[in-house]
Amino acid sequence: MLKPEIEDGQQTLADPQFRADVLDGLSRRPRAIPARWFYDRHGSELFEKITDLPEYYPTRTERSILETACPEVATLAGAGRAVVEFGSGSSTKTPILLDAVAPSVYVPIDISGDFLRESSKVLAEQFPDLLVLPFEADFMRPLSLPKTIADTPKLGFFPGSTIGNMIPLMAVDLLRAMRASLGVGAMLLIGMDRIKGEDVLVPAYDDAQGVTAAFNLNLLERINRELGGDIPVEAFRHKAVWNDDRARIEMHLEAMRDVAFAVDGRSFEMTAGETIHTENSHKYGARDARILLRSGGWTPVAAWTDPDGLFGVYLAEAQVERPAP
């Protein structure tokens, strides 16, 4: 049975997977909670603010690349495809692609239902002749796309370097799942952040205005609200570090003092300096990106970057699955 929670004065049901991931993650050593749970409504709104920060280069850089690349994407992919966007968020970059490729239908997929419906409405008004089919789902789990597009060739769209939030083995599994969902003849347009100096990377995840800190700490607020927690949020601070060995930025929530708290009736204790690992953001060189795509069942077709080489956008086509011998 789902446990009733209170949000905005109304009774809601806590996501059982959220509960399981939080309780399991807080019980582990080191402690870790999957990054996908950042994105309740407030978390999604905070992330959109992050993308406009002066320190956060990925969004504006990728947008600039897409403006240059999408006409070529249209030539390579052809018109009439169903564009399927994984983790669509506010879909701010999507119009660049839709304008160029003339799709038959657009399917945005996002875990935040209210945010998804609002952004889909805005996009439908912007493209009144385009069929928009919002699909509320966690694309990290196996999913079946709407039957409406079953026979339509598909172009997957996965911008924002979200693939970097996964360790490489999970990223490969996700790419394979995308290939299976999108089907034979599919193509994928994907963004990947590139390796660069700490002087650029760390400020992008620890901005001067503290928006990223609020985004990270909101996870604790969500746990308290939806899972009946009493975590002292003020006892934690946001921490972003570059892990050179694994070529990734790591985000943590660090306890500034010894704390004891309960979540869903279970008790936890953390000592000062102990952290909850909340996000990874892996960075890929051009060669590493191609290897990752091939490992996930995709053959790179074209690649684009910005003049400073900060970010990469790749177009790939689904590899033909060979029957088992």
Side-chain angles (χ1 to χ4, degrees), residues 34-289:
R36 67 177 177 271
W37 299 116
F38 280 138
Y39 299 97
D40 62 352
R41 183 183 181 86
H42 187 49
S44 296
E45 291 170 346
L46 285 169
F47 182 73
E48 293 308 316
K49 291 182 180 179
I50 289 171
T51 64
D52 289 330
L53 293 169
E55 299 97 329
Y56 194 78
Y57 63 88
T59 300
R60 61 178 178 270
T61 305
E62 186 180 30
R63 183 182 291 115
S64 176
I65 296 170
L66 288 170
E67 288 171 350
T68 300
C70 280
E72 190 175 349
V73 172
T75 299
L76 293 168
R81 286 181 179 263
V83 170
V84 179
E85 184 171 1
F86 297 91
S88 57
S90 64
S91 303
T92 55
K93 301 166 197 167
T94 312
I96 303 170
L97 179 62
L98 299 182
D99 269 331
V101 303
S104 57
V105 60
Y106 169 59
V107 182
I109 303 172
D110 203 272
I111 195 171
S112 180
D114 290 342
F115 203 62
L116 171 68
R117 285 182 284 275
E118 288 178 13
S119 60
S120 297
K121 181 181 178 182
V122 170
L123 203 63
E125 291 172 353
Q126 189 174 351
F127 293 87
D129 296 327
L130 177 65
L131 177 62
V132 178
L133 299 175
F135 186 35
E136 183 178 350
D138 180 358
F139 65 84
M140 293 296 297
R141 305 181 195 176
L143 54 84
S144 297
L145 295 173
K147 293 181 180 179
T148 309
I149 62 170
D151 298 324
T152 306
K154 298 167 189 68
L155 172 61
F157 187 38
F158 197 35
S161 194
T162 308
I163 194 74
N165 295 149
M166 287 145 263
I167 62 173
L169 285 176
M170 288 179 62
V172 168
D173 287 344
L174 177 60
L175 288 168
R176 288 175 178 166
M178 287 178 171
R179 185 192 62 181
S181 296
L182 295 172
V184 176
M187 302 188 81
L188 176 68
L189 187 64
I190 183 172
M192 296 191 201
D193 200 6
R194 291 192 164 182
I195 298 171
K196 57 192 72 69
E198 288 185 59
D199 59 328
V200 176
L201 283 168
V202 174
Y205 295 85
D206 193 8
D207 63 277
Q209 297 180 46
V211 182
T212 312
F215 174 70
N216 201 4
L217 289 162
N218 181 64
L219 177 60
L220 300 183
E221 299 280 6
R222 181 180 185 183
I223 291 170
N224 284 347
R225 183 177 65 252
E226 296 185 21
L227 300 179
D230 61 2
I231 302 172
V233 179
E234 73 284 352
F236 288 82
R237 75 177 183 97
H238 165 69
K239 182 178 181 181
V241 296
W242 171 247
N243 184 328
D244 195 57
D245 290 339
R246 298 189 179 184
R248 72 189 188 194
I249 284 282
E250 296 179 359
M251 287 195 352
H252 296 257
L253 290 165
E254 181 180 30
M256 295 184 289
R257 57 176 172 81
D258 294 352
V259 291
F261 55 88
V263 175
D264 196 42
R266 288 178 55 177
S267 299
F268 299 92
E269 294 182 0
M270 294 178 63
T271 58
E274 190 178 358
T275 72
I276 304 169
H277 190 166
T278 53
E279 185 178 58
N280 294 315
S281 186
H282 292 82
K283 312 302 175 183
Y284 289 94
R287 180 175 178 272
D288 298 328

Side-chain angles (χ1 to χ4, degrees), residues 22-37:
V22 168
L23 295 178
D24 177 66
L26 291 175
S27 301
R28 292 176 178 270
R29 300 294 184 277
R31 303 175 201 263
I33 297 173
R36 67 177 177 271
W37 299 116

